[in-house]
Amino acid sequence: MTPGTADASPQPLLRELLDPVHRADPYPLYDAVRAHGPLLLPDHNLAVFSSYADCDEVLRHPAACSDRLKSTVAQRAIADGAQARPFGPPGFLFLDPPDHTRLRRLVSKAFVPKVVRALEPDIVRIVDELLDAAQGTFDAIGGLAHPLPVAVICRLLGVPVEDEPRFRDASALLAQGLDPFVSITGAAGDGFAERLRAGQWLREYLRGLVADRRRDPGEDLMSALVAVEEAGDVLTEDEIVATCNLLLIAGHETTVNLIANATLALLRHPDQWAALGRDPSRAAAVIEETLRYDPPVQLIGRVAGEDMTIGAGVHIPRGDNILLLLAAAHRDPAATERPDEFDPDRATIRHLGFGKGPHFCIGAPLARLEATAALTALTARFPGARLAAEPAYKPNVTLRGMEELSITL
Ligand code: HEM
């Protein structure tokens, strides 16, 4: 189909993406978007891709940038008086080379496999404690998928246990800020002021923690970030705060949703639930198939740093925003046979659930470790578990996830 010229105007299709009625099952809508082909909205300086090949190509394209300030829309808003970075200096997820390269290298020096492996006994113990308390009808979100990643990220950063609830609330609010309201509608979604306050609180809180770690270093990642040094280069205080902020937001809701989405898929396939309960070595395939079938990060954004041509001649002018609907790409029949089936036993599982290219998720090993611990313990302890009610979803579009997942143990 010729991009952007189908009968239905593309804008209503995109507005539908934001509509909470689709949150429980957005996949039919994604199919419609993918069938349309790339959606080009020159008036909005926006291009939306939903096939696997296109998303993959954009992620590998050297002109695909992550700094939102490079977009025509942001530049126009700034010229009209908008503040450039209301949430302060961005984490390196939203930066491009050379800043991205430098920060990612320094952070990778501190966030090494040893740091992740050292968390394993804690993760297993936290899962056991949470499941010891489980009985009768159990909410897998409130009882497991949510508290586990918060506890882990707080241990990783060295946040005192008593501050966890405030941390959790701030990160839930900030996750909503990733939804593509501005790209699609031109205006921020509801709750902007509240998110701004949560962001300010979190930055100030992290600043205090960094000062503590400078005085009194510990074994945690924040102490490692304070100490990291390469050829005389170190992280500034602003950079450490922005990085910890990023690790918290990027590593929390995403992992909640991975554990929850996998739990739901297994409950809907009781043979798979039973098989994992008997054989924990199946966890890796279950996790990868969940990342494909029902990914925690449904879409990601880029900005065209130069004029770009994608696929069979789709032109994107420099400065346009690009949305990549990963969750739609994962159900692309051109990339995966029987894409709508949850099948951890398929020969090859192709997904972009952790991204691709220079911004590939730095926390993937940790997320896989947490999900493995949670899913193997849950299925082994409760072999006869059943879905108690259809789950309720939060309104979030990008980090789509459940509010409650009720299981009869
Ligand atoms: C299931 C859980 C997770 C999923 C699905 C996920 C997904 C992603 C995706 C899709 C990206 C690329 C975004 C882009 O290219 O624009 C990304 C980047 C990132 N993730 Fe994760 N993530 C998860 C867990 C974590 C955890 C546990 C951490 C850290 C504690 C983390 C830290 C990061 C960071 C720092 C980046 C930015 C990397 C860069 O820009 O170079 N993530 N993640």
Side-chain angles (χ1 to χ4, degrees):
M1 191 174 298
T2 315
T5 55
D7 44 6
S9 140
Q11 172 77 5
L13 209 48
L14 284 182
R15 280 184 181 265
E16 291 244 346
L17 280 181
L18 304 176
D19 189 335
V21 301
H22 296 292
R23 216 60 77 234
D25 181 12
Y27 294 100
L29 180 61
Y30 290 145
D31 284 346
V33 175
R34 204 180 45 247
H36 189 288
L39 300 178
L40 304 178
L41 290 82
D43 293 348
H44 290 70
N45 296 101
L46 177 65
V48 182
F49 293 99
S50 49
S51 77
Y52 196 95
D54 288 347
C55 290
D56 187 77
E57 186 179 344
V58 172
L59 288 176
R60 287 183 291 110
H61 200 294
C65 293
S66 292
D67 184 350
R68 302 302 187 266
L69 281 194
K70 291 181 178 163
S71 76
T72 304
V73 171
Q75 287 303 323
R76 212 181 289 137
I78 292 166
D80 289 344
Q83 196 187 339
R85 297 204 195 270
F87 287 87
F92 58 91
L93 171 63
F94 293 113
L95 291 175
D96 295 315
D99 296 334
H100 172 261
T101 322
R102 170 182 162 261
L103 287 170
R104 182 168 168 125
R105 200 166 46 225
L106 281 168
V107 173
S108 304
K109 258 193 101 173
F111 197 11
V112 285
K114 189 177 75 178
V115 172
V116 175
R117 273 200 306 275
L119 287 166
E120 188 165 4
D122 265 352
I123 293 174
V124 169
R125 186 181 45 74
I126 297 167
V127 168
D128 277 341
E129 282 170 10
L130 289 167
L131 292 183
D132 283 347
Q135 52 179 310
T137 304
F138 173 67
D139 174 19
I141 308 287
L144 176 68
H146 204 278
L148 174 66
V150 184
V152 171
I153 207 93
C154 286
R155 265 167 195 67
L156 186 70
L157 294 179
V159 172
V161 172
E162 62 272 17
D163 291 338
E164 280 183 18
R166 285 206 292 173
F167 234 64
R168 187 188 57 209
D169 294 347
S171 105
L173 268 172
L174 291 169
Q176 293 164 12
L178 295 173
D179 287 350
F181 277 91
V182 176
S183 302
I184 294 178
T185 66
D190 292 344
F192 181 76
E194 208 185 344
R195 287 201 295 280
L196 205 56
R197 274 196 303 277
Q200 274 158 357
W201 173 82
L202 190 56
R203 270 204 310 282
E204 282 319 304
Y205 178 85
L206 290 169
R207 212 173 283 287
L209 223 52
V210 173
D212 287 351
R213 290 301 174 278
R214 272 198 207 287
R215 275 194 307 272
D216 182 17
E219 294 291 303
D220 53 89
L221 180 63
M222 193 182 280
S223 301
L225 291 173
V226 168
V228 79
E229 186 257 298
E230 192 179 66
D233 189 14
V234 294
L235 293 165
T236 66
E237 177 170 306
D238 271 352
E239 288 168 347
I240 298 174
V241 169
T243 299
C244 292
N245 211 327
L246 168 63
L247 290 173
L248 173 72
I249 315 268
H252 178 209
E253 292 289 322
T254 49
T255 312
V256 176
N257 296 343
L258 175 59
I259 296 170
N261 294 358
T263 303
L264 178 63
L266 291 169
L267 285 166
R268 293 204 196 279
H269 298 82
D271 51 330
Q272 292 288 346
W273 181 284
L276 178 59
R278 283 192 306 268
D279 176 6
S281 74
R282 294 178 61 79
V286 166
I287 289 165
E288 296 316 299
E289 177 67 346
T290 303
L291 284 158
R292 180 197 72 79
Y293 174 79
D294 203 12
V297 179
Q298 298 258 299
L299 57 97
I300 54 183
R302 289 291 185 268
V303 177
E306 301 291 341
D307 286 358
M308 290 166 67
T309 303
I310 296 299
V314 179
H315 178 70
I316 312 168
R318 174 182 179 174
D320 273 14
N321 282 315
I322 304 172
L323 285 184
L324 305 175
L325 301 186
L326 303 181
H330 291 176
R331 302 285 187 106
D332 183 348
T336 298
E337 279 176 26
R338 301 172 286 109
D340 294 321
E341 274 177 42
F342 176 76
D343 177 11
D345 296 309
R346 60 177 73 245
T348 316
I349 302 175
R350 291 179 79 195
H351 70 77
L352 303 166
F354 285 126
K356 185 165 201 165
H359 291 274
F360 183 82
C361 179
I362 211 170
L366 178 58
R368 287 182 171 124
L369 185 62
E370 288 183 52
T372 301
L375 296 169
T376 51
L378 188 62
T379 51
R381 280 198 189 206
F382 305 106
R386 293 286 171 268
L387 191 59
E390 279 305 307
Y393 279 79
K394 290 182 286 195
N396 299 15
V397 184
T398 303
L399 303 187
R400 167 178 165 271
M402 287 169 257
E403 200 136 38
E404 194 177 339
L405 174 57
S406 209
I407 308 180
T408 307
L409 297 175

